[in-house]
Amino acid sequence: MTAFKERLDKELSTTPRFTQSLQKNISQQAHRVNPTTRRWQYPLIILGTIVMLLFIIELGPLGRSEQAKQTSFVELAQQETIKRYTMIFNADMETFMAGRPGWTIGQKIFELNDDKDLLQQLLQQATVIQMYGDNPFRFGAIRDVWAEFENGQVIKMKIFLNEEYIVIEDYHNKSFYRVNNEDLAKAYLDLALKEDDIAFGMKGLSIFLVVLFVSHFFVEKLMRKKFNIPKGYVNKGHQRVSWIIKIVNIVLVCLFVLKGLILLTVVIIGYLTVIVVSSIFIDYYYGREEKRHYLSISSAIVGLLLFGIFIIYIS
């Protein structure tokens, strides 16, 4: 072979143009799975779950301030008429649970004229007091009361009840008032204890959760049979992400229970939304060929339907 022939072969790429090391590097790059996406997908799912829940809660009563414009609810009660109010048991002095109807599971909603007149009389007869020394609220019933007046103004009160007198704390201004009227005190105490709806709220919530889990079991069984969806996980990544979401959900439930937020409908809605969105996303991402996302979608529809019925029933 002449020198001209060797030169021609090189120009026509008869011999390799790339060195062996360069060829090896190109081959490795072509067959390598991008690790960046896998490395960040788990933290992103967790972060997205938490951000979504906090965003939904922020839209609800926890992120809203209903500061009353009046300096004293006594003056407001003398000038305006109570439109409606809600009441719920809450012994925690640092939190306030009552709110607009539909915001909290288990709270009583008072719209009857006799009930509204009774509260109006209490507020009109309240006189401001100074609190010193021992806590005077170590006895009697404690209720959070949210009241809306006809002009739209809202007040939040913690009411401490016994058969002799009533002490009311303005939750916004942290000022205390006392009503020295035994007849009113006894009447309002009887009204507060007439139906302990907090028990119904927890009982009803427990029944709802049982029905929800049973419905989920049967719906999942039906969908697996109809679309021939196998059990178990698609791969290790699917299993890892699923367990991460389960752990996050368990931690959130424990946090809500400890903070007393489990009865807030906005928290429950946010929590269910997080579960639904994360489940559908994960099942679709890992098992769309096997139609695994049909399981999460059908369970979400049934769960949200049951929850809607439950909220309508207790409202």
Side-chain angles (χ1 to χ4, degrees), residues 231-259:
K231 294 184 178 181
Y233 299 99
V234 177
N235 51 38
K236 289 292 184 181
H238 184 203
Q239 182 180 14
R240 192 176 297 116
V241 173
S242 298
W243 275 104
I244 289 175
I245 294 299
K246 289 178 181 178
I247 293 173
V248 170
N249 289 332
I250 293 173
V251 171
L252 288 176
V253 169
C254 295
L255 178 63
F256 295 155
V257 172
L258 292 176
K259 294 295 183 178

Side-chain angles (χ1 to χ4, degrees), residues 89-105:
F89 168 79
N90 181 23
D92 187 358
M93 295 293 295
E94 303 299 325
T95 62
F96 191 88
M97 295 294 297
R100 295 185 181 277
W103 276 6
T104 305
I105 296 175

Side-chain angles (χ1 to χ4, degrees), residues 248-307:
V248 170
N249 289 332
I250 293 173
V251 171
L252 288 176
V253 169
C254 295
L255 178 63
F256 295 155
V257 172
L258 292 176
K259 294 295 183 178
L261 304 178
I262 194 63
L263 294 180
L264 292 178
T265 54
V266 66
V267 173
I268 299 176
I269 292 173
Y271 176 71
L272 292 177
T273 302
V274 168
I275 294 178
V276 168
V277 173
S278 60
S279 298
I280 294 176
F281 171 77
I282 292 172
D283 289 342
Y284 181 79
Y285 182 82
Y286 286 99
R288 55 183 175 271
E289 294 83 2
E290 300 174 343
K291 300 181 180 179
R292 289 179 178 265
H293 53 290
Y294 286 6
L295 296 175
S296 51
I297 293 175
S298 58
S299 298
I301 294 175
V302 173
L304 294 177
L305 180 61
L306 290 175
F307 182 71

